[in-house]
Amino acid sequence: MKASPLAQAEIPMLRLSSFYFAYYAALGAFTPYWGVYLKARGHDAAAISILMSLWYATRIFAPSTWSTLASRSAHPIRWLRIGCLSTALSFAVFIVPLDFTGLFLAMCVFCFVYNAVMPQFEAITLSHLVGRSERYGRIRVWGSIGFVLVVALFGLLLDRLGETTLPWLMLPLFAGLCVSSWFNDYGSGQSEAPAGKHGGFAARLKRPEVAAFFGVAFLMQICFGPYYTFYSIYLDEHGYSTSSLGIYWSIGVVLEILVFAGSGWILRRWHAAWVLLVSVLAAAVRWAMVALFADSAVLMALAQATHALSFAAFFAASMQFLAIFFPGRQNGHAQGIFYGFSSGVGGVLGALLSGWVWERSGGEMAFLLASAVAVLACVVVWVWLRPARLQCMGSGVDK
């Protein structure tokens, strides 16, 4: 059978990849080192957890707000460029030393606009991949490459220059993000897809397998709370140097790159639901290892290696589910919910819960709790999203 014109359209690999590279390069500086930067500014664990929770709190509103503005605009790409420029300008404020109140306000603005752009860009990417969503990983992998390069480089730079120089080092990364946004636009797959047998957007959201999928994403983000908020501090408390923090973060992302690069091959051979199940199982094992073997450099490196499954495989499978559950313009709204509900609500709960447990019972207990949450996610995947169940429900998710 002849392929559709959308499936035959050329994919702008370089332009799409450049945006992921710039965005996640900046995130490679922010995620591992921002907590360390805040600690160097004199803030305690409670203050850091509150400030870092803003990263997730703004995800509740930013993605859906931006996707709504973009969908109502005659030129939706302008909102991507506005978001990127606003991200760079708002981050420049951190060059000035701020007290807790100033940091809180600055973080609110910066996190809102920074979180707004990626869900929109995910929809842009998938609009170029209609009928070829398994090729998403070959584009997204450049984000992981940018992340790992910056994590490794900034670990060395901060060891020499000091943690308080972090804002100055990150500004050029956001400038690169702005430049890339001007070279990207939507593909022809942005047009509205017919409702089909599952109905419109609201009807699709109500389907049990869709609700289960969002529930799993929510639980996964909660279980990543201690990792994103305190992992670098956790290693520091166990005697690891700042430069070694970059090495440990890099281990996971290097293997993540391999999974993203091979995700098309993986998803052509295994059902997306099986990939999802393996990823949440890996997360449960990973957090238990971090909790119980923090003093073993080898076992901590092995735990970080499972990032290839607990993050990369999970994310690739999630994009496959979203592309099938929500075609066409529906995907932009779905991306907003995916980021807003999972990374937003789940991220806030994960950061605050991990901070609360950290203060009372220590880092080991925080990571053990994360492992338990991942086990719960495994149960949800097995009950609601295993292939036989999806086929019975007529979800349309194929191998």
Side-chain angles (χ1 to χ4, degrees):
M1 186 173 65
K2 187 177 181 179
S4 68
L6 288 178
Q8 292 178 326
E10 183 179 356
I11 301 172
M13 301 287 289
L14 180 60
R15 287 187 280 125
L16 295 172
S17 300
S18 71
F19 191 90
Y20 285 104
F21 184 92
Y23 183 94
Y24 285 103
L27 196 63
F30 181 81
T31 303
Y33 300 121
W34 200 250
V36 177
Y37 165 76
L38 294 174
K39 184 178 180 181
R41 288 292 184 187
H43 300 283
D44 60 17
I48 293 172
S49 66
I50 292 172
L51 290 170
M52 292 302 291
S53 71
L54 296 174
W55 171 250
Y56 305 105
T58 53
R59 284 191 172 188
I60 300 173
F61 309 104
S64 57
T65 299
W66 228 250
S67 63
T68 299
L69 292 170
S71 66
R72 293 178 178 177
S73 173
H75 303 284
I77 193 62
R78 290 178 180 174
W79 286 101
L80 178 74
R81 295 162 184 166
I82 291 170
C84 292
L85 181 60
S86 299
T87 298
L89 293 175
S90 62
F91 186 80
V93 174
F94 293 115
I95 292 174
V96 180
L98 302 170
D99 59 13
F100 178 81
T101 302
L103 278 171
F104 185 91
L105 296 175
M107 286 280 287
C108 284
V109 177
F110 163 71
C111 292
F112 181 89
V113 289
Y114 191 26
N115 276 319
V117 297
M118 182 47 70
Q120 183 186 2
F121 195 78
E122 297 281 24
I124 291 171
T125 299
L126 291 175
S127 74
H128 289 281
L129 298 178
V130 174
R132 302 170 288 182
S133 59
E134 75 280 355
R135 298 180 67 179
Y136 168 85
R138 293 177 59 188
I139 299 169
R140 172 60 178 79
V141 68
W142 287 97
S144 301
I145 292 172
F147 188 98
V148 72
L149 289 176
V150 167
V151 166
L153 176 62
F154 276 41
L156 296 173
L157 290 176
L158 294 176
D159 254 352
R160 295 190 176 189
L161 304 176
E163 291 86 352
T164 56
T165 63
L166 183 60
W168 285 102
L169 296 174
M170 289 178 64
L171 269 179
L173 304 177
F174 289 117
L177 186 69
C178 292
V179 172
S180 178
S181 69
W182 284 94
F183 289 94
N184 277 287
D185 205 342
Y186 285 90
S188 53
Q190 185 203 12
S191 58
E192 186 69 68
K197 65 180 181 178
H198 295 320
F201 185 77
R204 288 172 180 268
L205 278 178
K206 295 177 183 178
R207 291 185 61 80
E209 69 271 27
V210 176
F213 166 73
F214 282 121
V216 170
F218 172 76
L219 291 172
M220 282 293 281
Q221 194 63 52
I222 289 179
C223 81
F224 268 82
Y227 180 68
Y228 287 139
T229 309
F230 292 113
Y231 183 66
S232 293
I233 296 174
Y234 184 69
L235 292 182
D236 180 67
E237 290 180 350
H238 283 82
Y240 296 86
S241 66
T242 304
S243 58
S244 69
L245 303 188
I247 294 174
Y248 278 99
W249 280 88
S250 298
I251 289 171
V253 185
V254 167
L255 295 176
E256 169 190 315
I257 290 170
L258 298 178
V259 172
F260 273 131
S263 62
W265 182 87
I266 293 169
L267 290 168
R268 283 193 297 269
R269 285 159 178 78
W270 287 283
H271 199 294
W274 290 130
V275 178
L276 202 70
L277 180 60
V278 170
S279 68
V280 293
L281 280 170
V285 173
R286 177 186 186 181
W287 306 136
M289 291 180 67
V290 171
L292 300 175
F293 304 107
D295 293 323
S296 171
V298 173
L299 292 178
M300 288 295 282
L302 183 60
Q304 277 299 88
T306 65
H307 190 74
L309 297 175
S310 56
F311 176 79
F314 176 83
F315 206 81
S318 295
M319 290 299 111
Q320 185 86 342
F321 273 110
L322 286 170
I324 297 171
F325 285 158
F326 302 97
R329 277 184 175 249
Q330 290 185 357
N331 193 263
H333 295 292
Q335 293 287 348
I337 292 176
F338 177 73
Y339 277 84
F341 181 63
S342 64
S343 298
V345 179
V348 169
L349 290 178
L352 294 178
L353 184 60
S354 63
W356 182 80
V357 175
W358 196 284
E359 286 286 329
R360 286 157 179 77
S361 304
E364 291 80 4
M365 186 57 65
F367 281 105
L368 284 175
L369 179 61
S371 180
V373 173
V375 170
L376 179 58
C378 293
V379 174
V380 176
V381 174
W382 179 254
V383 172
W384 292 104
L385 293 172
R386 69 183 186 273
R389 174 81 175 183
L390 291 171
Q391 290 170 4
C392 289
M393 302 178 78
S395 68
V397 179
D398 299 319
K399 183 176 176 179

